[in-house]
Amino acid sequence: MSLEGAPCIKSKSKINDDLMRYLSGRRVDFSKYRVDLQHLTPFQQAVLNETRKIPYGETITYSQLAERVGHPGAARAVGNALAKNPAPPIIPCHRIVAKNGPGGFSFGPKVKERLLSLESLSWRVSSTSARRRSP
């Protein structure tokens, strides 16, 4: 997976190095990268900005994210906003999962499950909070 050509990322060589490190299983802090979200609606921006706050190795559900952005009951709208993510995994939308499965992902469910497994995660989360997978 590459973000080559992503218009919102300025330092392509550094981001490519960090992406390769991440995809090889290393923990990478992507918070240092700025992502231009100005072309998105305020709701979409709120969803993606809140998604960036989910720590490495944790997941939350679409409905939990909807609550965090002040729109309880808007899980489907959250999913639609995540589909507009211009920079996965810099904005780690793979960490948002459905209550009964991994949920959708722009690159398909197998890629989402692979990204989750890189962080030693499964898609299963408790209904009240994020959970790490037991080793």
Side-chain angles (χ1 to χ4, degrees):
M1 176 186 320
S2 172
L3 294 179
E4 206 49 58
C8 54
I9 303 296
K10 302 295 184 205
S11 174
K12 288 183 184 174
S13 93
K14 179 67 174 146
I15 191 67
N16 282 339
D17 290 346
D18 279 349
L19 282 170
M20 294 308 294
R21 287 180 42 240
Y22 176 79
L23 294 172
S24 69
R26 292 183 170 147
R27 187 179 191 140
V28 176
D29 178 13
F30 289 111
S31 66
K32 62 189 168 198
Y33 293 104
R34 292 177 44 168
V35 180
D36 181 5
L37 302 177
Q38 291 180 27
H39 64 287
L40 301 175
T41 68
F43 176 77
Q44 292 166 337
Q45 289 179 33
V47 168
L48 293 173
N49 285 325
E50 190 64 29
T51 299
R52 289 195 88 173
K53 297 176 185 176
I54 301 165
Y56 181 96
E58 294 185 21
T59 59
I60 64 170
T61 64
Y62 292 95
S63 57
Q64 288 171 319
L65 183 54
E67 289 176 18
R68 287 186 182 190
V69 297
H71 294 274
R76 185 177 300 253
V78 162
N80 289 334
L82 291 170
K84 304 289 186 186
N85 183 356
I90 287 62
I91 300 175
C93 57
H94 63 280
R95 295 179 189 152
I96 313 303
V97 297
K99 290 179 183 175
N100 60 353
F105 191 64
S106 296
F107 297 102
K110 290 192 184 297
V111 173
K112 183 172 188 171
E113 290 175 11
R114 177 68 179 129
L115 292 174
L116 291 170
S117 72
L118 284 173
E119 298 182 28
S120 298
L121 294 169
S122 72
W123 56 264
R124 291 177 178 84
V125 295
S126 70
S127 60
T128 57
S129 64
R131 184 180 97 187
R132 292 175 190 242
R133 186 170 102 183
S134 301

